[in-house]
Amino acid sequence: MLATVARYVRLFNVLLYASVTTRFAPLKTPSGLQRLVKSGHLTADEREALLQSSLGHNIVLEWIFTLLNSGVADGRLGGGNTLQLVLANKVTELRATYASIPDALSGRMPLAYTQLVQILVDVLVISAPLALIHSVGGFGAIVGTALITLFHASILNLAKMFLDPFNNNEYGDAGLSINVLTLMQETNIGSERWRKGAQWVPPATRLRPTAVEERQKKRGTTLAGLFNLGGI
């Protein structure tokens, strides 16, 4: 079960970023899903379900939540109703968080504003030497132009990064954008970290058999006392 949850987490991560970036967008196409099947991240039946539903990462999140609920119901996960409530809250929080990503990308400022700022910065940088040379001299004009170019060009690049954090439109250097590959790698590693870490634990951390026997004996004594009390 834990291995299946980890696989679904990786699949959800891949399809989520495939829906908000152009670099990984081919992964949500039929051919991209077929490659995921060949790599073991997806089964053939799951691929068909994804193609028929067209819900992408949203349906994968439903699979994760259904699997966790099934695990609690049949005893594979202990915790009962309390654990189910916690899982429901966490899944709802995750859904609200990832749903805000495409909303933020769709509600950004118009591209024309960025182009206007680009023109203004270019005009300012070009006209800076002509404006400074008469007041501060040749050397001062060189230094002043360099400073103006550095600050204004840097601010413009920062604005482009905020406008297109995933570099989908390739406004500038890819090094200024969010490295989605690193985010996916961290999530993929985290999906297996706790499962592999719990495969073996030191004997000192395990529940002692005597404690289990004492608990069962105490429980049996309590039940016997209740029956005797009922007989009286």
Side-chain angles (χ1 to χ4, degrees):
M1 174 185 172
L2 295 180
T4 304
V5 172
R7 182 172 63 84
Y8 283 164
V9 168
R10 295 191 295 271
L11 179 62
F12 168 80
N13 193 40
V14 169
L15 296 180
L16 170 62
Y17 288 114
S19 65
V20 297
T21 63
T22 56
R23 179 181 180 184
F24 297 98
L27 291 176
K28 63 181 181 180
T29 61
S31 58
L33 293 177
Q34 184 62 35
R35 293 297 298 270
L36 292 177
V37 172
K38 292 181 179 180
S39 62
H41 293 85
L42 192 65
T43 64
D45 293 336
E46 292 168 351
R47 176 182 178 272
E48 292 300 324
L50 286 171
L51 292 176
Q52 292 178 6
S53 64
S54 301
L55 294 176
H57 57 280
N58 296 290
I59 193 175
V60 178
L61 183 62
E62 294 179 9
W63 295 347
I64 295 174
F65 187 53
T66 303
L67 177 58
L68 293 176
N69 277 334
S70 300
V72 175
D74 59 20
R76 286 177 291 175
L77 292 177
N81 295 331
T82 303
L83 181 58
Q84 283 185 326
L85 181 60
V86 172
L87 291 174
N89 291 333
K90 293 300 181 182
V91 170
T92 303
E93 182 180 351
L94 174 61
R95 186 180 183 279
T97 301
Y98 78 73
S100 64
I101 297 177
D103 293 341
L105 295 176
S106 301
R108 62 185 184 179
M109 71 181 72
L111 180 60
Y113 179 78
T114 306
Q115 294 175 342
L116 177 60
V117 174
Q118 176 74 64
I119 295 174
L120 292 177
V121 171
D122 293 341
V123 172
L124 177 62
V125 171
I126 294 174
S127 61
L130 302 178
L132 293 175
I133 193 169
H134 296 290
S135 58
V136 296
F139 180 76
I142 295 175
V143 175
T145 302
L147 292 176
I148 292 175
T149 303
L150 174 64
F151 285 106
H152 285 276
S154 300
I155 293 175
L156 180 61
N157 289 332
L158 183 62
K160 290 180 180 179
M161 183 181 67
F162 288 149
L163 179 67
D164 186 23
F166 295 114
N167 199 34
N168 292 329
N169 298 321
E170 299 181 354
Y171 289 142
D173 186 7
L176 297 175
S177 60
I178 297 176
N179 193 339
V180 177
L181 190 60
T182 301
L183 298 179
M184 296 175 63
Q185 182 181 10
E186 291 294 329
T187 304
N188 293 341
I189 295 175
S191 65
E192 293 284 350
R193 180 181 296 121
W194 301 112
R195 185 177 69 88
K196 292 182 177 180
Q199 289 180 351
W200 183 89
V201 293
T205 63
R206 303 172 186 173
L207 185 63
R208 294 177 301 171
T210 55
V212 177
E213 294 174 359
E214 291 175 359
R215 185 180 303 173
Q216 294 177 348
K217 185 183 298 184
K218 184 178 180 180
R219 182 181 179 183
T221 304
T222 304
L223 292 176
L226 291 176
F227 285 126
N228 292 332
L229 182 61
I232 294 175

